[in-house]
Structure formats: structure tokens, C-alpha cells
Amino acid sequence: MTGAALLSIGIFISSVTESQAMAAGICFAAMLLNYYMVTLAEYVASSAYGSLVAILILELIIALLIKNMTGNPLLSKIFGGLSMAAAVALYVYKSEWFEGLFPKILENISVYERFYEFVDGIFDYTHVVYFISVIVFFLFLTVQSLEKRRYN
């Protein structure tokens, strides 16, 4: 399951780039980042303000990806503005919700953390659903990327 999830991520990255060498390098970096994600989560500030800043940066990156994939700057600005405003509003309303939030998010999206539980002999259906969701999501994005390239 882990291999299929990582392959789907790699296929998506390959569909977005033009060069095979660049796709291979980005795939390697993405897999390495995913491998060390939990370790990096320990070094991210677990304070409420640190989590807010990290989430705002993540939302900005997602908005830029939306702009790149759709070619619609208005859509990316709307998404980025609304998501950042919502995050700041939630922070002002209840800042204790942000205590340790970003490290927890990094731990929950790590592919390898769920793999380690399989290795330890723990079979959990939520992990199977997670892997299938990652596979389907990135294959869907790959198809959308190829369709966009086909019609341009």
C-alpha cells in the first residue's frame, strides 16, 4: 500500500513537469520529505502562533498550486484569501485550538507513519482507507493534469 501511494504521488509529479530528470529529483525530494516529516514535526514550533504561521504558509502554497494547475489567478486569490482569513479568525476566536496543531497535521499525513504500524503487526482499516484515499486523490490529480495538457 505504501508503494502504491508513493507511486501515485510520483506519477502526479511526473505529469506536472516536462523533464523526466526534474520529475525524478522532485519525486525523490517529496519522498524524502515525507519520510522525515514526523521528525521535522518535532522541530516545528508547537505554540499556537507558530502553528498559525505554518498553516498560513501551507495555505499560500496550496493557492499557488491552484493557480499553476488551473491557470485561474482569481480562483487562487479567492481560495487563499478566504482560507487565510478563516485561519486568522479561528486563531483570534480560540487560539488554544492551534496549540500543537501543525505538528499533529504533519504526523497525520505522513505515509510512512501508517506503514510502520503495518510493520509492527497492527492492521487498522483506517490506514487502508488512508492509503486508498491518497492513491485515488493523486491519480485523480494526474488525470486532471493530463487532461489540461491535452486541451492546451
Side-chain angles (χ1 to χ4, degrees):
M1 296 292 263
T2 305
L6 293 174
L7 273 173
S8 67
I9 293 169
I11 290 170
F12 168 67
I13 292 171
S14 178
S15 73
V16 175
T17 61
E18 295 290 329
S19 168
Q20 290 179 351
M22 186 166 47
I26 294 171
C27 287
F28 179 74
M31 290 179 197
L32 195 65
L33 179 69
N34 200 333
Y35 183 76
Y36 287 114
M37 193 174 294
V38 176
T39 306
L40 293 173
E42 296 172 0
Y43 296 109
V44 174
S46 62
S47 68
Y49 182 73
S51 291
L52 174 69
V53 170
I55 288 172
L56 290 177
I57 292 171
L58 186 63
E59 289 171 345
L60 179 66
I61 291 170
I62 292 171
L64 291 174
L65 284 173
I66 289 172
K67 180 183 175 190
N68 186 28
M69 291 192 68
T70 63
N72 189 348
L74 180 64
L75 178 67
S76 68
K77 288 177 185 176
I78 290 172
F79 171 79
L82 288 177
S83 63
M84 288 181 184
V88 170
L90 279 173
Y91 178 77
V92 169
Y93 178 67
K94 287 254 187 187
S95 62
E96 60 267 7
W97 286 352
F98 285 82
E99 291 289 332
L101 179 65
F102 192 69
K104 185 186 279 188
I105 290 172
L106 290 180
E107 290 174 8
N108 286 333
I109 65 172
S110 174
V111 173
Y112 289 102
E113 277 301 303
R114 298 179 197 289
F115 171 69
Y116 293 145
E117 291 193 12
F118 278 129
V119 169
D120 292 338
I122 301 170
F123 184 78
D124 191 2
Y125 287 112
T126 59
H127 298 327
V128 174
V129 170
Y130 169 79
F131 282 122
I132 291 173
S133 299
V134 167
I135 294 166
V136 168
F137 177 71
F138 280 103
L139 289 179
F140 172 76
L141 289 179
T142 302
V143 169
Q144 296 304 311
S145 173
L146 294 176
E147 287 293 322
K148 179 186 174 212
R149 184 179 293 182
R150 184 172 121 186
Y151 289 114
N152 284 339

